[in-house]
Amino acid sequence: MSTKLAESEILPLANDVGALGNRINHSTRAAHNKIDKMMTIKFAIALRDPRIYRQGLQSYYHVFATIEECLAREIARKTKWSDILQKIWKPEIARKERCEADLLYFYDGHKEKFIEPIMSEQIKFVDHIRTVTAEKPYLLLAYMHVMYLALFAGGRVFRSSIVKAAGLFPRKDGHSHDNFLELGGNLFTFDVEDEQLLRLIYKRDYEILTRNNLTEDEKLEIISESQLIFQRNADCISEIERHNLEKFRGKISYQLANNSNYLLIIIVVLILVFYGRRYFK
Ligand code: HEM
């Protein structure tokens, strides 16, 4: 993939209000702005701390692995939906393996530390994906738009010279920005010559295959599922934040408890010394 598309092949047009992708973006604009604000600060913190970054990565790993498992299940069923999903899907866009590679890097090869979701919002989210897409396979189209197109913007942020210069990347064991991109930044990179072209082709095929093959009711359900995906993303992020806050509080109270123990010991020793000196006078 190295040639750009001709102008006429770029679909949907930005002002095409009937295109499903545009309708999803329009109806999730407020949710996107909210999650953007919510994540920007947290992302900056996570980018400084490999342990927080890998918690986020782990959450996305389970989501992508589940979407891809459900997609494979549906494509194998050879239905009307499998044909549509297969024609839109591109193997280079799959994230499960790439996310796993990043996690192995951040967890020093310990797969058992991330292979099963243990946080309740993550479990709820992946269970939800399995249930609703088994019943209504066309809802996978919501995940294929929202979760996968988000990656292209994320990749640009990661590779930006500002991020590199500011040292805003999860620096594991003092590794450099280049080390990180090569070993731990696979989630946001695609194994193609031209990422932008991959994005354009994915969006074009999505538009061509969703325009006439879905009823208006199915489109409305996909739009509503897209809104829910933003909410679930926000819930997973908030859960990680709460978890870290509790751990942090626990650490502080542990230190306070320890320090007060020391204080008690010092007081007892001082009392003993004081009375001991009087006794031996
Ligand atoms: C720090 C948080 C985020 C920032 C700064 C951000 C930024 C952006 C930017 C700049 C774009 C425009 C890209 C373009 O036009 O090429 C975009 C598009 C998009 N983002 Fe985000 N985003 C964030 C989080 C998310 C999350 C968590 C999701 C989904 C769960 C998401 C889903 C999307 C989608 C679906 C698009 C539309 C892509 C398209 O139609 O091509 N974003 N984002």
Side-chain angles (χ1 to χ4, degrees):
M1 287 188 182
S2 60
T3 47
K4 293 266 183 240
L5 294 182
E7 200 65 30
S8 60
E9 290 178 290
I10 299 179
L11 293 171
L13 296 175
N15 59 2
D16 183 350
V17 291
L20 182 58
N22 287 346
R23 289 176 72 183
I24 295 176
N25 287 349
H26 182 74
S27 75
T28 56
R29 188 156 297 153
H32 187 274
N33 288 346
K34 195 172 144 202
I35 207 159
D36 182 351
K37 279 199 198 98
M38 183 181 171
M39 276 181 91
T40 305
I41 301 277
K42 297 184 179 91
F43 205 47
I45 296 170
L47 286 180
R48 301 284 308 182
D49 186 338
R51 272 175 308 183
I52 299 180
Y53 182 74
R54 73 186 186 188
Q55 291 173 326
L57 205 55
Q58 185 177 14
S59 176
Y60 282 106
Y61 168 72
H62 298 302
V63 175
F64 284 117
T66 309
I67 299 169
E68 286 161 32
E69 162 204 310
C70 296
L71 257 171
R73 175 202 64 205
E74 206 42 51
I75 289 173
R77 280 171 63 187
K78 306 260 177 262
T79 61
K80 166 194 169 189
W81 298 116
S82 47
D83 192 44
I84 294 171
L85 297 171
Q86 186 160 31
K87 283 183 178 146
I88 299 172
W89 183 246
K90 312 285 173 261
E92 301 91 337
I93 220 153
R95 295 296 95 185
K96 181 189 169 212
E97 307 293 335
R98 301 183 79 82
C99 208
E100 190 171 319
D102 290 351
L103 283 164
L104 285 170
Y105 168 71
F106 282 106
Y107 281 101
D108 298 314
H110 290 286
K111 203 170 173 171
E112 73 284 0
K113 292 198 174 163
F114 62 81
I115 202 70
E116 289 298 333
I118 49 167
M119 299 188 91
S120 67
E121 291 298 340
Q122 290 171 25
I123 296 172
K124 242 167 68 185
F125 194 12
V126 298
D127 284 349
H128 169 83
I129 299 171
R130 282 198 190 97
T131 313
V132 295
T133 64
E135 225 178 276
K136 296 176 175 179
Y138 51 89
L139 291 184
L140 280 164
L141 291 163
Y143 292 86
M144 288 164 85
H145 179 90
V146 176
M147 294 305 301
Y148 289 86
L149 286 174
L151 295 162
F152 292 94
R156 282 202 295 276
V157 173
F158 259 127
R159 286 188 297 275
S160 81
S161 49
I162 300 168
V163 164
K164 183 175 177 175
L168 270 179
F169 61 94
R171 194 184 295 265
K172 180 184 171 250
D173 304 334
H175 282 186
S176 68
H177 183 259
D178 290 342
N179 279 144
F180 157 67
L181 279 186
E182 190 190 334
L183 302 167
N186 291 294
L187 173 61
F188 295 105
T189 54
F190 300 86
D191 202 7
V192 288
E193 245 176 72
D194 187 340
E195 244 175 50
Q196 181 59 6
L197 183 62
L198 173 66
R199 176 175 168 270
L200 290 177
I201 290 175
Y202 187 71
K203 282 177 73 110
R204 180 199 65 190
D205 293 351
Y206 188 94
E207 162 58 12
I208 292 171
L209 284 140
T210 55
R211 181 161 286 265
N212 298 318
N213 289 319
L214 294 155
T215 64
E216 177 58 14
D217 279 350
E218 285 161 351
K219 288 185 184 175
L220 288 172
E221 281 187 74
I222 292 167
I223 292 169
S224 143
E225 185 69 15
S226 302
Q227 290 164 337
L228 188 127
I229 296 172
F230 273 93
Q231 185 54 50
R232 298 279 177 155
N233 268 270
D235 293 344
C236 288
I237 299 163
S238 301
E239 182 180 43
I240 294 176
E241 188 186 28
R242 272 197 314 277
H243 170 83
N244 287 337
L245 218 59
E246 273 161 29
K247 248 177 37 186
F248 179 71
R249 283 204 196 105
K251 224 170 169 176
I252 295 278
S253 40
Y254 173 78
Q255 275 167 0
L256 278 177
N258 265 353
N259 290 347
S260 47
N261 279 348
Y262 285 133
L263 202 64
L264 203 68
I265 292 166
I266 292 168
I267 292 170
V268 171
V269 169
L270 285 177
I271 292 170
L272 285 175
V273 169
F274 179 75
Y275 283 105
R277 280 172 55 193
R278 283 181 59 177
Y279 183 78
F280 287 110
K281 258 189 184 167

